[in-house]
Amino acid sequence: MATIPDALNLALKHHQAGRLKEAEAVYRQILQVQPQHPDALHLLGVIAHQSGHNDVAIELITKAIALDSSKAEYHNNLGNALQEQGDLDEAVVCLRQAVALNPGYAEAHANLANALVRQGILDEAVTSFRRALTLRPDFADAHYNLGNTLQKQGMLKEAVASYKRAVEIKPDFILAHMNLGDVLQEQGSLAEAVACYLRALALTPDFADAYNNLGNALKAQGKPAEAVACYRQALTLKPDCGAIHQSLGIALQEQGELEAAVASYRRALAVDPDDARLHANLATTLL
């Protein structure tokens, strides 16, 4: 093997290019020569996290931190792995340490915000997202997640602005188009919502939820026939979704297609037999 710095540079090139197996092999070679190499342990842990093996990631990155606790990246990545494992309290501790070590670390502020959202601490999460965006204004994911958090808080105007900024930065951001459409629909801006869902479908034509939400917006516009077509298209992609069968049933009922509506409600009840609204809709249609 070349010198350890040369080997680490080679492994990083593989890693950054997405060649994880090649990177992992070189990190392991480094650790055979120097078992206490903190960077190799940390980066091997990052690969484990990227591969979905968070328990292994936590073990490796914890070892790296025991050897060198001064690296904000170590604490950030340990926090991410802990968050994926559902250990939110420990994740927040690690992510707070990351931003304490490097206050200019935008990704760590955003990751801390995501963990705080999962804990239900929304005001502090918004503050952390805004810090991340002050440091990195073109951080599309942070704009999107800030929008999600603002939407949860009922701050719809601010959420719209965040989603719009996300799709300005990243025009192919499908979920941002979808969520922007949802908030616009909630605000009653139906034409804009329809445009958002159509953009999402242009990017991903097999997106069942986008067809469903488009159907909801069209129905709210007083276009039940077009809504029915959207719901049926959604069900070709997601045939076992009770919510879509229910939406189809409502639209069919509004059009006076009562037998078809009854069939849709019964399909929905097969998925969710305890939905009181479904039973009520079916009873009304049968009557």
Side-chain angles (χ1 to χ4, degrees), residues 18 37 53-54 73 77 86 92 107 120 127 165 209 211 219 240:
H37 194 290
H53 303 298
N54 289 300
E73 292 82 0
N77 290 325
V92 166
E107 289 77 7
T127 300
R165 186 68 187 118
D209 290 342
Y211 278 110
K219 185 160 69 67
D240 297 324

Side-chain angles (χ1 to χ4, degrees), residues 30-99:
I30 293 169
L31 290 169
Q32 285 177 352
V33 175
Q34 189 174 329
Q36 304 298 305
H37 194 290
D39 283 341
L41 285 165
H42 165 243
L43 291 166
L44 194 57
V46 171
I47 288 179
H49 171 61
Q50 290 174 310
S51 304
H53 303 298
N54 289 300
D55 51 343
V56 176
I58 290 165
E59 180 184 352
L60 289 166
I61 302 173
T62 299
K63 287 180 181 177
I65 290 172
L67 294 165
D68 182 358
S69 62
S70 68
K71 301 282 182 68
E73 292 82 0
Y74 293 8
H75 295 278
N76 176 67
N77 290 325
L78 178 57
N80 288 341
L82 287 163
Q83 190 171 174
E84 287 295 316
Q85 285 285 83
D87 192 345
L88 297 179
D89 290 341
E90 285 300 314
V92 166
V93 170
C94 290
L95 293 163
R96 289 194 195 283
Q97 183 64 18
V99 298

